[in-house]
Amino acid sequence: MSVIHRVLFNRTVSGFLFPSQHLDDDTVSGSNWITENNDQPSLSQTTKITRKPYCGYEQQTLSKREQVEQESLLAAIQWPKPPDDKIAFLQSTDPVHSDFVIVKPRGFFKVGDQLEVLVRMKDFQGKPKQYGGDYLQARIHSPLLKAGATGRIVDCHNGLYKVFFTLLWPGEVKVSVTLVHPSEAIQVLLRLREERPDRVYFKSSFKSGRYSETTECNVCLPGDLPVCNFTDLYTGEPWFCYKPRKLSCASRISHAKGGYQKGLLTHEESLFFQSDVNIKRPILSSGPDAVIVKPRAFTAEDPTVSPSGYYYEDHWRPRTHWIHHFNKSDDISKCLQGKVIHLFGDSTIRQWFEYLTSVVPDLVEFNLGSPKNVGPFMSVDLKHNILLKFRCHGPPIRFTTVFSSELRYIANELNGIVGGRNTVVAITIWSHFSTFPVEVYIRRLRNIRRSVIQLLDRSPKTLIIIRTANVQELGPEVSLFNSDWYSLQLDSVMRKMFSGIAVHFVDAWEMSLAHYLPHNLHPKEVIVRNQIDAFLSYVCPLQT
């Protein structure tokens, strides 16, 4: 017999209660983007951000230092707003009427020079926009060379945007500019993130004998119904489920994605999210869209200048360090010989596990009886003494079904690793946090960062690599839950929080944005191969 409970609700954050007062006695505890006026503030700056605490728990648990850092992070990702909250669709940004021009299109360019592009935004009536806040993506590329790189975008706050590209290879170089979301849509995404974190909901199954119940779960829950408190004892990460009517909280057996709320937008708001109108639509040039770049005898790389790398002949070339392309499986086996590799995160780093297991002949997956695409997974190469493991991060995670016994937080897993010169840890965590206020993500990263620092302190030779977020295909529905804009904001926070720590980054963001293939949440194999090359180049750096 099975009973399913799901409470449908439509409340703003103010309607959510931190459930500590309502626990049942049976509860168990357990692309670069800047503005013209100011660059992003550093962590040393403390711009006060007035925000309503999500669920009421954040302000209660932060130290003064953590509070200062959080305010600085929130200030760093503040986004320009339209002058009026109620902008009609016809006054919103239209990519068809908008255009871009190359500054000095007939100039003499050499490899290493900067190319400047001016983007001019107009509305659906053809009138110039007078304010900024649109989300753009830009790249240069040479299709015949399979070369590409991203650009640095500057919002001038007056309907104009400047894009700066570093010219990194000779030949004809084309410019592409894309409107991901108009500024008016960004304000809707902001509202949803702050007011409707419940738009993705989760569920857990509870079972005793032949009787089972299913209830709704989340970081916090509305109302005053009895709840099961599954807050992690070590990290303090909150997680709650409505208590089953007849079963105990201890009878929970699984976690799963519940679904997505519908009807989130007003009619006017829905006009800002149309696939063939204003979601990831190209902005065309009103003049030449390409320049000719001449070779330069020697180019001194400036690693502080955007981008972090570029594609040439379908191979990624970072600008800050040497990279080796592991084209033979024997080279990968030799690199990983004697290593234990831990992969923690979501399905985008699970791709690394799948790629390595498929291309290294002696690396054989050991059947742990785990659900498909969920894990945990493990592959073993007895010949080369390689152990490769994948485990998904703890809730919130939008997987089909995860056994409760396998719900682990990355921070706790890191605390259980001895570490050493033969230990490699790779982490990614971003996509499943896109619907929550940023404070929830900051808290998770703070816990992971603490464990990373402790691991490096006890075992300094441990190698830790972070895979960044990546861009993906967007439609009207996906935009409301997993927009590139949400991912960009989280990725910016992550990079700032781990700056100055002895970790390495695989820039999956630029590697997915600079490539010619269509955007995909799970990038195609050629992009994953380049990510693996970057990853392995940290494991086995070239001796130069």
Side-chain angles (χ1 to χ4, degrees), residues 244-262:
R245 290 189 180 127
K246 296 182 180 180
L247 298 178
S248 71
C249 296
S251 64
R252 183 175 68 148
I253 61 170
S254 66
H255 161 94
K257 176 185 70 177
Y260 299 89
Q261 298 280 3
K262 306 293 185 181

Side-chain angles (χ1 to χ4, degrees), residues 136-286:
L136 307 178
Q137 292 173 348
R139 60 187 286 262
I140 49 174
H141 54 108
S142 297
L144 293 179
L145 297 174
K146 294 186 177 179
T150 63
R152 180 173 62 94
I153 300 169
V154 178
D155 187 343
C156 301
H157 300 287
N158 58 2
L160 301 178
Y161 298 81
K162 296 177 182 178
V163 188
F164 297 94
F165 298 99
T166 302
L167 300 170
L168 296 165
W169 61 86
E172 184 183 52
V173 177
K174 296 178 178 292
V175 175
S176 293
V177 179
T178 300
L179 173 70
V180 183
H181 294 302
S183 55
E184 296 77 17
I186 297 296
Q187 297 312 301
V188 177
L189 295 179
L190 267 169
R191 177 183 68 78
L192 292 177
R193 187 173 69 187
E194 302 306 318
E195 298 180 2
R196 294 302 306 271
D198 62 306
R199 63 191 186 280
V200 175
Y201 57 91
F202 305 86
K203 62 184 180 181
S204 273
S205 293
F206 300 78
K207 186 176 182 181
S208 178
R210 300 177 63 182
Y211 181 80
S212 65
E213 295 183 55
T214 299
T215 71
E216 186 170 329
C217 308
N218 219 315
V219 173
C220 63
L221 295 168
D224 56 359
L225 295 174
V227 300
C228 295
N229 183 359
F230 295 111
T231 297
D232 184 65
L233 289 172
Y234 300 99
T235 63
E237 292 286 353
W239 193 254
F240 301 91
C241 297
Y242 286 118
K243 187 184 181 304
R245 290 189 180 127
K246 296 182 180 180
L247 298 178
S248 71
C249 296
S251 64
R252 183 175 68 148
I253 61 170
S254 66
H255 161 94
K257 176 185 70 177
Y260 299 89
Q261 298 280 3
K262 306 293 185 181
L264 297 170
L265 306 181
T266 66
H267 173 70
E268 189 71 22
E269 287 176 337
S270 66
L271 297 178
F272 301 144
F273 296 92
Q274 301 181 70
S275 292
D276 297 327
V277 178
N278 48 20
I279 298 178
K280 282 206 173 180
R281 300 303 299 164
I283 295 175
L284 303 180
S285 172
S286 62

Side-chain angles (χ1 to χ4, degrees), residues 77 438 441-442 445 489-497:
I77 61 171
V438 180
Y441 185 63
I442 293 174
L445 291 188
Q489 294 242 298
L490 298 182
D491 195 59
S492 300
V493 167
M494 183 277 294
R495 292 176 193 251
K496 287 180 179 296
M497 291 188 69

Side-chain angles (χ1 to χ4, degrees), residues 231-357:
T231 297
D232 184 65
L233 289 172
Y234 300 99
T235 63
E237 292 286 353
W239 193 254
F240 301 91
C241 297
Y242 286 118
K243 187 184 181 304
R245 290 189 180 127
K246 296 182 180 180
L247 298 178
S248 71
C249 296
S251 64
R252 183 175 68 148
I253 61 170
S254 66
H255 161 94
K257 176 185 70 177
Y260 299 89
Q261 298 280 3
K262 306 293 185 181
L264 297 170
L265 306 181
T266 66
H267 173 70
E268 189 71 22
E269 287 176 337
S270 66
L271 297 178
F272 301 144
F273 296 92
Q274 301 181 70
S275 292
D276 297 327
V277 178
N278 48 20
I279 298 178
K280 282 206 173 180
R281 300 303 299 164
I283 295 175
L284 303 180
S285 172
S286 62
D289 65 352
V291 296
I292 302 299
V293 182
K294 300 296 184 181
R296 190 187 296 269
F298 173 76
T299 303
E301 289 283 7
D302 181 359
T304 64
V305 176
S306 173
S308 68
Y310 62 100
Y311 284 105
Y312 190 79
E313 295 180 342
D314 240 359
H315 286 107
W316 181 251
R317 298 183 175 185
R319 301 179 65 207
T320 55
H321 59 278
W322 292 96
I323 189 171
H324 174 53
H325 296 290
F326 294 77
N327 297 320
K328 298 179 181 178
S329 61
D330 287 347
D331 294 337
I332 299 177
S333 299
K334 183 178 179 181
C335 174
L336 295 180
Q337 184 163 0
K339 305 289 186 188
V340 177
I341 305 100
H342 301 269
L343 306 178
F344 296 115
D346 56 31
S347 57
T348 61
I349 206 166
R350 188 188 69 219
Q351 286 187 284
W352 290 15
F353 177 90
E354 294 165 346
Y355 179 87
L356 288 170
T357 301

